[in-house]
Amino acid sequence: MTVNYTVFMTNGLCRKYTLTENHMFTLIRTDEKTRARRGRLQTAHGPVELPTFMPVGTLGTVKGVEIGLLRETGSQMILGNTYHLSLRPGEQVVRALGGLHKFCGWNGPILTDSGGFQVFSLAKIRKINEHGAVFQSHIDGRRIELTPERAIEIQETLGSDIAMVLDHLVALPNDRDTIAEAMQRTVRWAKRCRDAATLETQMQFAIVQGGLEPDLRCECAAALAELDFPGYAIGGLSVGEPPERMYEIIEATTPAMPADKPRYLMGVGRPEDLLEGIKRGVDLFDCVMPSRNGRNAMAFTDNGPLRLRNAKYERDPRPLEEICPCPACRRSRGYLRHLFMAREMLGPVLLTIHNITYYQRLMTRAREAIEQGRYLEFYTARMAQYVSGGHS
RNA sequence: GGGAGAUUACCCGAGUGGCCAAAGGGGGCAGACUGUAAAUCUGCUGGCGAUGCCUUCGGAGGUUCGAAUCCUCCAUCUCCCA
């Protein structure tokens, strides 16, 4: 089903769009001093208020967090992974159990990553060519082929709301020819993904590559824009380059991405990275950081991260944050430290919940700030406190 | 009362003449983690004015160029025989 709708731009102009009902992106407000955007994305499983952060649930679970508790963190949309779920339990098993939403108990929107990042991160056990990538399964060593068409087939079988196209990342820094080649292949693969689509309830996001080369980034964004995807991502960043370089690339890339489509910065990042991204016009983020670092005893707060295994928290009676409503913050830092020192599983669980709650509170405050036209002030105050408050 | 064996750093434990400030594990301390092969990984863990010096292997003394390692005595613990 398709619908016509109108977006009222903050500059007073109107633009009309025709998209399927589940693919609507609405710009609610655009910040005047920065490129921050307050938007809304309609998916087959409900709306997503933007900007937002998506916790990573690679295998159909955000590790350690029961889905009801995950909902209480304020998360709107979560991630799943093509490569991992196709290996185990297999996408047909997921479908037989009612699709990814029913399978994992999350009835909100789900975005699935294409496996493009695994093509990169599992480089030692895969080979890649124009046709696609061939993996040696990290589980049993058997041969797995992942092509653009196969990536979409898996994601459609899983039944996610947003499917990512298969892309080609390269390590950074890298030479320009290698980056350009991977970028061009990413565009060709994006077209193959689009052409392979059969599921109306699923929208595809294309991924902008181009390493740390601003012109290649823009070239890629423009080429993908012609293919008219419902959303666009910036990929291949936060792979070891300094944060400033990443910001520069975001800065250079977002203007080349369609303003009337959601923009997703893949795999990013720390709280300050999210604020930097929003400032430059990014709408969606995902990152393992709140969950993985939470499992590893790091708690994110407005005053910067706390390493809870540190001895200074042994007798600290304070909660991680006074104003945080999460279950971890109903206990003392000393207790949480004890859980980690004793290797109790509740420690990683509670800190994961806290960190995701923190990220979502940050996003909620960012959305409010944009709505009220004071994002720059919010950004400035937050960044200052991350730096100055790092010793609580 | 007699016999055998033990005692090593915060804990357990290897080492039986120089390559030993002493393996390994635990514990502890610190750091890392950015589209999750990660409830993981990496350092450090006697002291110091530190490419070296000082003090340490139950205690005291001895043998030796040199001792955690060999000898003597003492202390403590374990097992066996009365």
Side-chain angles (χ1 to χ4, degrees):
Chain A
M1 176 169 65
T2 61
V3 294
N4 297 311
Y5 71 101
T6 305
V7 169
F8 296 93
M9 312 288 281
T10 50
N11 58 11
L13 299 175
C14 297
R15 290 188 66 175
K16 291 185 187 300
Y17 295 104
T18 302
L19 288 172
T20 65
E21 190 174 57
N22 295 327
H23 300 188
M24 288 195 295
F25 171 69
T26 313
L27 268 179
I28 296 166
R29 177 155 185 177
T30 305
D31 192 52
E32 286 162 16
K33 296 175 194 164
T34 69
R35 292 191 211 144
R37 298 147 32 114
R38 173 73 179 88
R40 180 175 298 129
L41 179 65
Q42 189 65 43
T43 75
H45 284 80
V48 180
E49 302 300 329
L50 307 176
T52 198
F53 174 81
M54 303 177 279
V56 179
T58 303
L59 281 158
T61 166
V62 174
K63 296 183 191 303
V65 185
E66 198 281 319
I67 215 80
L69 291 170
L70 184 61
R71 203 165 283 116
E72 288 178 23
T73 64
S75 299
Q76 305 178 77
M77 176 155 57
I78 63 172
L79 253 69
N81 195 290
T82 298
Y83 169 79
H84 295 82
L85 289 169
S86 73
L87 276 180
R88 191 162 56 186
E91 69 275 15
Q92 295 299 343
V93 173
V94 174
R95 176 149 80 177
L97 291 170
L100 187 51
H101 295 80
K102 189 175 179 197
F103 179 64
C104 71
W106 178 263
N107 54 16
I110 298 178
L111 179 149
T112 42
D113 190 22
S114 60
F117 188 75
Q118 280 63 48
V119 173
F120 168 75
S121 67
L122 302 178
K124 286 176 190 162
I125 55 170
R126 60 88 176 135
K127 288 196 165 76
I128 186 168
N129 60 30
E130 184 63 24
H131 183 61
V134 176
F135 290 92
Q136 200 170 353
S137 159
H138 72 272
I139 298 166
D140 61 8
R142 75 181 202 271
R143 188 187 145 95
I144 309 289
E145 187 174 58
L146 192 62
T147 62
E149 292 78 13
R150 175 76 181 126
I152 294 305
E153 180 190 13
I154 295 168
Q155 293 180 84
E156 291 194 342
T157 304
L158 293 170
S160 59
D161 299 278
I162 300 174
M164 299 306 298
V165 301
L166 188 67
D167 61 338
H168 186 182
L169 290 78
V170 293
L172 297 178
N174 215 318
D175 65 273
R176 192 178 158 84
D177 288 349
T178 304
I179 292 169
E181 195 178 336
M183 179 274 277
Q184 288 150 7
R185 172 172 288 161
T186 294
V187 175
R188 291 191 295 271
W189 283 5
K191 184 169 189 308
R192 282 167 60 185
C193 285
R194 195 199 61 176
D195 293 345
T198 65
L199 192 61
E200 257 191 46
T201 54
Q202 183 177 73
M203 60 183 126
Q204 288 185 5
F205 279 21
I207 305 172
V208 176
Q209 289 293 344
L212 299 177
E213 313 286 329
D215 60 317
L216 293 183
R217 286 280 175 182
C218 292
E219 185 184 329
C220 188
L224 292 173
E226 286 185 21
L227 298 173
D228 195 27
F229 281 88
Y232 295 89
I234 301 174
L237 289 178
S238 63
V239 289
E241 78 282 5
E244 294 71 27
R245 303 288 291 127
M246 176 172 81
Y247 304 149
E248 286 168 25
I249 292 302
I250 300 166
E251 180 93 25
T253 305
T254 53
M257 300 167 78
D260 58 343
K261 301 289 173 62
R263 301 170 183 151
Y264 163 31
L265 178 57
M266 305 187 77
V268 175
R270 298 131 70 213
E272 52 265 52
D273 297 331
L274 269 53
L275 298 181
E276 296 286 357
I278 291 171
K279 189 182 168 197
R280 293 169 173 83
V282 175
D283 307 302
L284 294 118
F285 303 86
D286 82 283
C287 192
V288 303
M289 191 162 277
S291 45
R292 178 186 290 167
N293 288 27
R295 289 196 303 282
N296 293 330
M298 180 180 280
F300 290 95
T301 75
D302 270 349
N303 288 313
L306 274 48
R307 281 180 267 267
L308 273 188
R309 270 190 287 252
N310 285 185
K312 63 181 172 181
Y313 299 118
E314 185 175 31
R315 292 161 187 270
D316 194 332
R318 297 172 292 170
L320 299 171
E321 293 189 291
E322 289 291 345
I323 54 167
C324 179
C326 88
C329 289
R330 291 199 279 274
R331 295 288 180 275
S332 65
R333 297 177 185 186
Y335 176 69
L336 296 172
R337 176 178 196 271
H338 159 69
L339 294 178
F340 276 96
M341 300 313 277
R343 296 187 132 85
E344 280 293 328
M345 66 169 82
L346 186 58
V349 168
L350 284 178
L351 273 209
T352 302
I353 291 170
H354 169 79
N355 284 343
I356 294 174
T357 302
Y358 177 75
Y359 270 57
Q360 301 304 355
R361 285 204 305 117
L362 185 67
M363 291 296 98
T364 299
R365 286 181 287 170
R367 287 194 296 269
E368 289 170 358
I370 299 168
E371 285 167 15
Q372 295 163 10
R374 52 174 183 82
Y375 181 75
L376 187 60
E377 291 80 353
F378 171 73
Y379 160 89
T380 305
R382 284 263 37 78
M383 296 300 278
Q385 195 178 350
Y386 285 141
V387 175
S388 68
H391 302 288
S392 74

